[in-house]
Amino acid sequence: MRKARAKKRPLLPDPKFQSQLVTRFVNNLMLHGKKSIAYSIFYDAMAIVDEKVEEGGLETWKKALINVTPAVEVRSRRVGGATFQIPQPIRDDRKTSMGMKWLILYSKKRNEKTMAQKLANECMAAAKEEGAAHKKKEDTHRMAEANKAFSHFRF
């Protein structure tokens, strides 16, 4: 274990949109250290969204990310031999991280041909409050609501 918590490293904004959020998303999207490929996938996806949606690719992506970001989650806790699912609010950093990871995970599971198309379509679906990533958020919130009775076990 560490003596102290690791310092948060500053992220450089991405070259095209000058956004740290985009860089963070691309870092999650990246496989095997291939960052330039991850950037090209993201930018291609935004170009596809630009063609299909009038409000713009980056705005649609941001809206999708907000729609997929959860507010509460359930955590397991053992109390007297029984395991309870206890709903807890999520801190902001973890919220966005979970939203990004769900968006990428459910993009990969789609049936389109390229990853850019998969990501573009999942972003457009999430912006309209549809798609698998948005369903995951709804399921998480539903589980938290169902287990609200155990919230007094919170730690």
Side-chain angles (χ1 to χ4, degrees):
M1 260 173 60
R2 291 179 181 271
K3 284 185 180 178
R5 197 170 233 172
K7 291 190 188 93
K8 201 109 167 81
R9 292 186 186 153
L11 280 176
L12 294 171
D14 75 297
K16 190 172 181 180
F17 299 114
Q18 301 302 315
S19 170
Q20 289 183 332
L21 199 63
V22 171
T23 303
R24 198 167 155 194
F25 187 82
V26 168
N27 286 346
N28 279 313
L29 185 63
M30 173 173 55
L31 291 173
H32 308 295
K34 308 268 183 172
K35 195 174 221 169
S36 57
I37 292 172
Y39 269 123
S40 66
I41 289 169
F42 181 78
Y43 293 146
D44 291 347
M46 291 305 105
I48 292 167
V49 174
D50 261 333
E51 291 171 13
K52 295 182 180 179
V53 180
E54 63 273 350
E55 71 179 27
L58 191 67
E59 294 307 311
T60 305
W61 173 76
K62 284 181 180 175
K63 189 175 178 186
L65 195 59
I66 289 166
N67 287 347
V68 168
T69 301
V72 288
E73 68 178 340
V74 289
R75 288 242 170 112
S76 296
R77 171 124 194 245
R78 281 185 60 88
V79 178
T83 305
F84 294 104
Q85 297 286 323
I86 300 167
Q88 289 189 323
I90 313 173
R91 61 181 204 279
D92 292 335
D93 207 33
R94 182 165 160 75
K95 276 183 197 178
T96 53
S97 178
M98 287 173 79
M100 286 177 183
K101 285 174 183 170
W102 289 347
L103 211 53
I104 292 165
L105 174 74
Y106 291 108
S107 294
K108 286 179 182 175
K109 290 184 178 180
R110 289 181 77 96
N111 285 332
E112 283 82 26
K113 200 161 193 172
T114 65
M115 184 58 196
Q117 288 173 329
K118 292 177 183 184
L119 183 61
N121 289 335
E122 187 64 33
C123 284
M124 287 187 289
K128 289 185 247 173
E129 296 188 355
E130 300 168 356
H134 188 265
K135 186 179 181 306
K136 174 73 171 173
K137 175 201 169 184
E138 292 298 316
D139 291 346
T140 305
H141 280 226
R142 204 171 297 120
M143 271 191 60
E145 186 66 30
N147 291 301
K148 199 164 62 173
F150 305 123
S151 60
H152 64 281
F153 288 131
R154 198 177 295 152
F155 42 89

